[in-house]
mmCIF file with all atom_site columns, all heavy atoms in Angstrom:
data_model
loop_
_atom_site.group_PDB
_atom_site.id
_atom_site.type_symbol
_atom_site.label_atom_id
_atom_site.label_alt_id
_atom_site.label_comp_id
_atom_site.label_asym_id
_atom_site.label_entity_id
_atom_site.label_seq_id
_atom_site.pdbx_PDB_ins_code
_atom_site.Cartn_x
_atom_site.Cartn_y
_atom_site.Cartn_z
_atom_site.occupancy
_atom_site.B_iso_or_equiv
_atom_site.pdbx_formal_charge
_atom_site.auth_seq_id
_atom_site.auth_comp_id
_atom_site.auth_asym_id
_atom_site.auth_atom_id
_atom_site.pdbx_PDB_model_num
ATOM 1   N N   . VAL F 1 27 ? 139.199 165.713 42.503 1.00 98.00 ? 1300 VAL F N   1
ATOM 2   C CA  . VAL F 1 27 ? 140.673 165.618 42.354 1.00 98.00 ? 1300 VAL F CA  1
ATOM 3   C C   . VAL F 1 27 ? 141.211 166.882 41.635 1.00 98.00 ? 1300 VAL F C   1
ATOM 4   O O   . VAL F 1 27 ? 142.197 167.500 42.076 1.00 98.00 ? 1300 VAL F O   1
ATOM 5   C CB  . VAL F 1 27 ? 141.153 164.345 41.714 1.00 98.00 ? 1300 VAL F CB  1
ATOM 6   C CG1 . VAL F 1 27 ? 142.600 164.422 41.315 1.00 98.00 ? 1300 VAL F CG1 1
ATOM 7   C CG2 . VAL F 1 27 ? 140.946 163.184 42.683 1.00 98.00 ? 1300 VAL F CG2 1
ATOM 8   N N   . PRO F 1 28 ? 140.638 167.324 40.519 1.00 98.00 ? 1301 PRO F N   1
ATOM 9   C CA  . PRO F 1 28 ? 141.107 168.556 39.886 1.00 98.00 ? 1301 PRO F CA  1
ATOM 10  C C   . PRO F 1 28 ? 141.103 169.756 40.801 1.00 98.00 ? 1301 PRO F C   1
ATOM 11  O O   . PRO F 1 28 ? 141.974 170.621 40.755 1.00 98.00 ? 1301 PRO F O   1
ATOM 12  C CB  . PRO F 1 28 ? 140.239 168.755 38.669 1.00 98.00 ? 1301 PRO F CB  1
ATOM 13  C CG  . PRO F 1 28 ? 139.756 167.363 38.340 1.00 98.00 ? 1301 PRO F CG  1
ATOM 14  C CD  . PRO F 1 28 ? 139.576 166.694 39.654 1.00 98.00 ? 1301 PRO F CD  1
ATOM 15  N N   . PHE F 1 29 ? 140.074 169.820 41.687 1.00 98.00 ? 1302 PHE F N   1
ATOM 16  C CA  . PHE F 1 29 ? 139.960 170.933 42.648 1.00 98.00 ? 1302 PHE F CA  1
ATOM 17  C C   . PHE F 1 29 ? 141.167 170.911 43.576 1.00 98.00 ? 1302 PHE F C   1
ATOM 18  O O   . PHE F 1 29 ? 141.842 171.938 43.806 1.00 98.00 ? 1302 PHE F O   1
ATOM 19  C CB  . PHE F 1 29 ? 138.695 170.902 43.419 1.00 98.00 ? 1302 PHE F CB  1
ATOM 20  C CG  . PHE F 1 29 ? 138.662 171.832 44.605 1.00 98.00 ? 1302 PHE F CG  1
ATOM 21  C CD1 . PHE F 1 29 ? 138.273 173.156 44.455 1.00 98.00 ? 1302 PHE F CD1 1
ATOM 22  C CD2 . PHE F 1 29 ? 139.023 171.385 45.887 1.00 98.00 ? 1302 PHE F CD2 1
ATOM 23  C CE1 . PHE F 1 29 ? 138.273 173.989 45.510 1.00 98.00 ? 1302 PHE F CE1 1
ATOM 24  C CE2 . PHE F 1 29 ? 138.984 172.283 46.949 1.00 98.00 ? 1302 PHE F CE2 1
ATOM 25  C CZ  . PHE F 1 29 ? 138.646 173.588 46.734 1.00 98.00 ? 1302 PHE F CZ  1
ATOM 26  N N   . TRP F 1 30 ? 141.433 169.747 44.186 1.00 98.00 ? 1303 TRP F N   1
ATOM 27  C CA  . TRP F 1 30 ? 142.511 169.669 45.137 1.00 98.00 ? 1303 TRP F CA  1
ATOM 28  C C   . TRP F 1 30 ? 143.856 169.900 44.492 1.00 98.00 ? 1303 TRP F C   1
ATOM 29  O O   . TRP F 1 30 ? 144.767 170.520 45.059 1.00 98.00 ? 1303 TRP F O   1
ATOM 30  C CB  . TRP F 1 30 ? 142.497 168.295 45.847 1.00 98.00 ? 1303 TRP F CB  1
ATOM 31  C CG  . TRP F 1 30 ? 141.277 168.095 46.731 1.00 98.00 ? 1303 TRP F CG  1
ATOM 32  C CD1 . TRP F 1 30 ? 140.293 167.231 46.523 1.00 98.00 ? 1303 TRP F CD1 1
ATOM 33  C CD2 . TRP F 1 30 ? 140.975 168.847 47.895 1.00 98.00 ? 1303 TRP F CD2 1
ATOM 34  N NE1 . TRP F 1 30 ? 139.325 167.354 47.535 1.00 98.00 ? 1303 TRP F NE1 1
ATOM 35  C CE2 . TRP F 1 30 ? 139.734 168.333 48.407 1.00 98.00 ? 1303 TRP F CE2 1
ATOM 36  C CE3 . TRP F 1 30 ? 141.595 169.822 48.643 1.00 98.00 ? 1303 TRP F CE3 1
ATOM 37  C CZ2 . TRP F 1 30 ? 139.122 168.831 49.523 1.00 98.00 ? 1303 TRP F CZ2 1
ATOM 38  C CZ3 . TRP F 1 30 ? 141.005 170.357 49.733 1.00 98.00 ? 1303 TRP F CZ3 1
ATOM 39  C CH2 . TRP F 1 30 ? 139.788 169.857 50.193 1.00 98.00 ? 1303 TRP F CH2 1
ATOM 40  N N   . ARG F 1 31 ? 144.029 169.413 43.242 1.00 98.00 ? 1304 ARG F N   1
ATOM 41  C CA  . ARG F 1 31 ? 145.307 169.672 42.529 1.00 98.00 ? 1304 ARG F CA  1
ATOM 42  C C   . ARG F 1 31 ? 145.502 171.163 42.283 1.00 98.00 ? 1304 ARG F C   1
ATOM 43  O O   . ARG F 1 31 ? 146.594 171.655 42.514 1.00 98.00 ? 1304 ARG F O   1
ATOM 44  C CB  . ARG F 1 31 ? 145.228 168.900 41.235 1.00 98.00 ? 1304 ARG F CB  1
ATOM 45  C CG  . ARG F 1 31 ? 146.583 168.912 40.461 1.00 98.00 ? 1304 ARG F CG  1
ATOM 46  C CD  . ARG F 1 31 ? 146.487 168.070 39.215 1.00 98.00 ? 1304 ARG F CD  1
ATOM 47  N NE  . ARG F 1 31 ? 146.532 166.649 39.529 1.00 98.00 ? 1304 ARG F NE  1
ATOM 48  C CZ  . ARG F 1 31 ? 145.603 165.776 39.108 1.00 98.00 ? 1304 ARG F CZ  1
ATOM 49  N NH1 . ARG F 1 31 ? 144.548 166.225 38.371 1.00 98.00 ? 1304 ARG F NH1 1
ATOM 50  N NH2 . ARG F 1 31 ? 145.655 164.517 39.454 1.00 98.00 ? 1304 ARG F NH2 1
ATOM 51  N N   . GLU F 1 32 ? 144.419 171.839 41.909 1.00 97.00 ? 1305 GLU F N   1
ATOM 52  C CA  . GLU F 1 32 ? 144.549 173.256 41.655 1.00 97.00 ? 1305 GLU F CA  1
ATOM 53  C C   . GLU F 1 32 ? 144.807 173.991 42.989 1.00 97.00 ? 1305 GLU F C   1
ATOM 54  O O   . GLU F 1 32 ? 145.568 174.986 43.018 1.00 97.00 ? 1305 GLU F O   1
ATOM 55  C CB  . GLU F 1 32 ? 143.212 173.796 40.987 1.00 97.00 ? 1305 GLU F CB  1
ATOM 56  C CG  . GLU F 1 32 ? 143.108 175.285 40.930 1.00 97.00 ? 1305 GLU F CG  1
ATOM 57  C CD  . GLU F 1 32 ? 144.118 175.941 39.961 1.00 97.00 ? 1305 GLU F CD  1
ATOM 58  O OE1 . GLU F 1 32 ? 144.656 175.217 39.048 1.00 97.00 ? 1305 GLU F OE1 1
ATOM 59  O OE2 . GLU F 1 32 ? 144.403 177.147 40.136 1.00 97.00 ? 1305 GLU F OE2 1
ATOM 60  N N   . LEU F 1 33 ? 144.148 173.584 44.063 1.00 98.00 ? 1306 LEU F N   1
ATOM 61  C CA  . LEU F 1 33 ? 144.357 174.248 45.328 1.00 98.00 ? 1306 LEU F CA  1
ATOM 62  C C   . LEU F 1 33 ? 145.772 174.066 45.828 1.00 98.00 ? 1306 LEU F C   1
ATOM 63  O O   . LEU F 1 33 ? 146.355 175.059 46.373 1.00 98.00 ? 1306 LEU F O   1
ATOM 64  C CB  . LEU F 1 33 ? 143.380 173.728 46.413 1.00 98.00 ? 1306 LEU F CB  1
ATOM 65  C CG  . LEU F 1 33 ? 143.371 174.473 47.713 1.00 98.00 ? 1306 LEU F CG  1
ATOM 66  C CD1 . LEU F 1 33 ? 142.702 175.826 47.529 1.00 98.00 ? 1306 LEU F CD1 1
ATOM 67  C CD2 . LEU F 1 33 ? 142.558 173.661 48.756 1.00 98.00 ? 1306 LEU F CD2 1
ATOM 68  N N   . LEU F 1 34 ? 146.363 172.943 45.640 1.00 97.00 ? 1307 LEU F N   1
ATOM 69  C CA  . LEU F 1 34 ? 147.770 172.719 45.982 1.00 97.00 ? 1307 LEU F CA  1
ATOM 70  C C   . LEU F 1 34 ? 148.671 173.625 45.200 1.00 97.00 ? 1307 LEU F C   1
ATOM 71  O O   . LEU F 1 34 ? 149.669 174.131 45.723 1.00 97.00 ? 1307 LEU F O   1
ATOM 72  C CB  . LEU F 1 34 ? 148.163 171.257 45.773 1.00 97.00 ? 1307 LEU F CB  1
ATOM 73  C CG  . LEU F 1 34 ? 148.202 170.428 47.106 1.00 97.00 ? 1307 LEU F CG  1
ATOM 74  C CD1 . LEU F 1 34 ? 146.775 170.311 47.656 1.00 97.00 ? 1307 LEU F CD1 1
ATOM 75  C CD2 . LEU F 1 34 ? 148.800 169.061 46.865 1.00 97.00 ? 1307 LEU F CD2 1
ATOM 76  N N   . GLN F 1 35 ? 148.389 173.824 43.901 1.00 97.00 ? 1308 GLN F N   1
ATOM 77  C CA  . GLN F 1 35 ? 149.182 174.739 43.108 1.00 97.00 ? 1308 GLN F CA  1
ATOM 78  C C   . GLN F 1 35 ? 149.108 176.142 43.621 1.00 97.00 ? 1308 GLN F C   1
ATOM 79  O O   . GLN F 1 35 ? 150.064 176.889 43.633 1.00 97.00 ? 1308 GLN F O   1
ATOM 80  C CB  . GLN F 1 35 ? 148.747 174.641 41.660 1.00 97.00 ? 1308 GLN F CB  1
ATOM 81  C CG  . GLN F 1 35 ? 149.129 173.333 40.964 1.00 97.00 ? 1308 GLN F CG  1
ATOM 82  C CD  . GLN F 1 35 ? 148.701 173.265 39.514 1.00 97.00 ? 1308 GLN F CD  1
ATOM 83  O OE1 . GLN F 1 35 ? 147.585 173.666 39.150 1.00 97.00 ? 1308 GLN F OE1 1
ATOM 84  N NE2 . GLN F 1 35 ? 149.606 172.808 38.638 1.00 97.00 ? 1308 GLN F NE2 1
ATOM 85  N N   . ARG F 1 36 ? 147.891 176.560 44.051 1.00 97.00 ? 1309 ARG F N   1
ATOM 86  C CA  . ARG F 1 36 ? 147.699 177.911 44.540 1.00 97.00 ? 1309 ARG F CA  1
ATOM 87  C C   . ARG F 1 36 ? 148.365 178.142 45.890 1.00 97.00 ? 1309 ARG F C   1
ATOM 88  O O   . ARG F 1 36 ? 149.011 179.196 46.129 1.00 97.00 ? 1309 ARG F O   1
ATOM 89  C CB  . ARG F 1 36 ? 146.228 178.222 44.703 1.00 97.00 ? 1309 ARG F CB  1
ATOM 90  C CG  . ARG F 1 36 ? 145.401 178.284 43.385 1.00 97.00 ? 1309 ARG F CG  1
ATOM 91  C CD  . ARG F 1 36 ? 143.981 178.708 43.622 1.00 97.00 ? 1309 ARG F CD  1
ATOM 92  N NE  . ARG F 1 36 ? 143.177 178.685 42.418 1.00 97.00 ? 1309 ARG F NE  1
ATOM 93  C CZ  . ARG F 1 36 ? 141.954 179.135 42.347 1.00 97.00 ? 1309 ARG F CZ  1
ATOM 94  N NH1 . ARG F 1 36 ? 141.393 179.714 43.394 1.00 97.00 ? 1309 ARG F NH1 1
ATOM 95  N NH2 . ARG F 1 36 ? 141.322 179.113 41.152 1.00 97.00 ? 1309 ARG F NH2 1
ATOM 96  N N   . LEU F 1 37 ? 148.271 177.143 46.795 1.00 97.00 ? 1310 LEU F N   1
ATOM 97  C CA  . LEU F 1 37 ? 148.833 177.311 48.161 1.00 97.00 ? 1310 LEU F CA  1
ATOM 98  C C   . LEU F 1 37 ? 150.309 176.891 48.255 1.00 97.00 ? 1310 LEU F C   1
ATOM 99  O O   . LEU F 1 37 ? 150.985 177.334 49.182 1.00 97.00 ? 1310 LEU F O   1
ATOM 100 C CB  . LEU F 1 37 ? 147.984 176.537 49.133 1.00 97.00 ? 1310 LEU F CB  1
ATOM 101 C CG  . LEU F 1 37 ? 146.500 176.862 49.243 1.00 97.00 ? 1310 LEU F CG  1
ATOM 102 C CD1 . LEU F 1 37 ? 145.828 176.043 50.288 1.00 97.00 ? 1310 LEU F CD1 1
ATOM 103 C CD2 . LEU F 1 37 ? 146.341 178.346 49.548 1.00 97.00 ? 1310 LEU F CD2 1
ATOM 104 N N   . ALA F 1 38 ? 150.771 176.104 47.312 1.00 97.00 ? 1311 ALA F N   1
ATOM 105 C CA  . ALA F 1 38 ? 152.148 175.610 47.228 1.00 97.00 ? 1311 ALA F CA  1
ATOM 106 C C   . ALA F 1 38 ? 152.696 175.125 48.623 1.00 97.00 ? 1311 ALA F C   1
ATOM 107 O O   . ALA F 1 38 ? 153.754 175.485 49.065 1.00 97.00 ? 1311 ALA F O   1
ATOM 108 C CB  . ALA F 1 38 ? 153.044 176.749 46.733 1.00 97.00 ? 1311 ALA F CB  1
ATOM 109 N N   . PRO F 1 39 ? 151.982 174.165 49.249 1.00 98.00 ? 1312 PRO F N   1
ATOM 110 C CA  . PRO F 1 39 ? 152.460 173.615 50.509 1.00 98.00 ? 1312 PRO F CA  1
ATOM 111 C C   . PRO F 1 39 ? 153.636 172.648 50.298 1.00 98.00 ? 1312 PRO F C   1
ATOM 112 O O   . PRO F 1 39 ? 153.723 172.006 49.247 1.00 98.00 ? 1312 PRO F O   1
ATOM 113 C CB  . PRO F 1 39 ? 151.243 172.853 51.107 1.00 98.00 ? 1312 PRO F CB  1
ATOM 114 C CG  . PRO F 1 39 ? 150.537 172.430 49.852 1.00 98.00 ? 1312 PRO F CG  1
ATOM 115 C CD  . PRO F 1 39 ? 150.714 173.508 48.838 1.00 98.00 ? 1312 PRO F CD  1
ATOM 116 N N   . LYS F 1 40 ? 154.437 172.492 51.293 1.00 97.00 ? 1313 LYS F N   1
ATOM 117 C CA  . LYS F 1 40 ? 155.547 171.513 51.240 1.00 97.00 ? 1313 LYS F CA  1
ATOM 118 C C   . LYS F 1 40 ? 155.207 170.357 52.127 1.00 97.00 ? 1313 LYS F C   1
ATOM 119 O O   . LYS F 1 40 ? 155.793 169.265 51.900 1.00 97.00 ? 1313 LYS F O   1
ATOM 120 C CB  . LYS F 1 40 ? 156.847 172.184 51.730 1.00 97.00 ? 1313 LYS F CB  1
ATOM 121 C CG  . LYS F 1 40 ? 157.409 173.229 50.786 1.00 97.00 ? 1313 LYS F CG  1
ATOM 122 C CD  . LYS F 1 40 ? 157.739 172.663 49.451 1.00 97.00 ? 1313 LYS F CD  1
ATOM 123 C CE  . LYS F 1 40 ? 158.336 173.716 48.508 1.00 97.00 ? 1313 LYS F CE  1
ATOM 124 N NZ  . LYS F 1 40 ? 158.625 173.125 47.138 1.00 97.00 ? 1313 LYS F NZ  1
ATOM 125 N N   . ARG F 1 41 ? 154.327 170.475 53.072 1.00 98.00 ? 1314 ARG F N   1
ATOM 126 C CA  . ARG F 1 41 ? 153.992 169.396 54.022 1.00 98.00 ? 1314 ARG F CA  1
ATOM 127 C C   . ARG F 1 41 ? 152.502 169.326 54.169 1.00 98.00 ? 1314 ARG F C   1
ATOM 128 O O   . ARG F 1 41 ? 151.850 170.348 54.659 1.00 98.00 ? 1314 ARG F O   1
ATOM 129 C CB  . ARG F 1 41 ? 154.691 169.673 55.383 1.00 98.00 ? 1314 ARG F CB  1
ATOM 130 C CG  . ARG F 1 41 ? 156.230 169.800 55.300 1.00 98.00 ? 1314 ARG F CG  1
ATOM 131 C CD  . ARG F 1 41 ? 156.845 170.336 56.542 1.00 98.00 ? 1314 ARG F CD  1
ATOM 132 N NE  . ARG F 1 41 ? 156.358 171.721 56.797 1.00 98.00 ? 1314 ARG F NE  1
ATOM 133 C CZ  . ARG F 1 41 ? 156.990 172.782 56.328 1.00 98.00 ? 1314 ARG F CZ  1
ATOM 134 N NH1 . ARG F 1 41 ? 158.106 172.649 55.596 1.00 98.00 ? 1314 ARG F NH1 1
ATOM 135 N NH2 . ARG F 1 41 ? 156.548 174.014 56.574 1.00 98.00 ? 1314 ARG F NH2 1
ATOM 136 N N   . VAL F 1 42 ? 151.888 168.255 53.780 1.00 98.00 ? 1315 VAL F N   1
ATOM 137 C CA  . VAL F 1 42 ? 150.425 168.133 53.635 1.00 98.00 ? 1315 VAL F CA  1
ATOM 138 C C   . VAL F 1 42 ? 149.947 166.912 54.497 1.00 98.00 ? 1315 VAL F C   1
ATOM 139 O O   . VAL F 1 42 ? 150.587 165.879 54.465 1.00 98.00 ? 1315 VAL F O   1
ATOM 140 C CB  . VAL F 1 42 ? 150.002 167.963 52.185 1.00 98.00 ? 1315 VAL F CB  1
ATOM 141 C CG1 . VAL F 1 42 ? 148.511 167.815 52.068 1.00 98.00 ? 1315 VAL F CG1 1
ATOM 142 C CG2 . VAL F 1 42 ? 150.510 169.128 51.356 1.00 98.00 ? 1315 VAL F CG2 1
ATOM 143 N N   . LEU F 1 43 ? 148.805 167.088 55.125 1.00 98.00 ? 1316 LEU F N   1
ATOM 144 C CA  . LEU F 1 43 ? 148.169 165.983 55.839 1.00 98.00 ? 1316 LEU F CA  1
ATOM 145 C C   . LEU F 1 43 ? 146.764 165.889 55.380 1.00 98.00 ? 1316 LEU F C   1
ATOM 146 O O   . LEU F 1 43 ? 146.004 166.873 55.352 1.00 98.00 ? 1316 LEU F O   1
ATOM 147 C CB  . LEU F 1 43 ? 148.186 166.256 57.347 1.00 98.00 ? 1316 LEU F CB  1
ATOM 148 C CG  . LEU F 1 43 ? 147.329 165.326 58.261 1.00 98.00 ? 1316 LEU F CG  1
ATOM 149 C CD1 . LEU F 1 43 ? 147.819 163.873 58.133 1.00 98.00 ? 1316 LEU F CD1 1
ATOM 150 C CD2 . LEU F 1 43 ? 147.321 165.802 59.714 1.00 98.00 ? 1316 LEU F CD2 1
#
Side-chain angles (χ1 to χ4, degrees):
V1300 167
F1302 169 85
W1303 293 113
R1304 187 177 288 124
E1305 172 66 23
L1306 189 69
L1307 259 66
Q1308 289 180 317
R1309 294 185 183 190
L1310 301 181
K1313 292 297 183 183
R1314 301 166 296 271
V1315 179
L1316 170 62

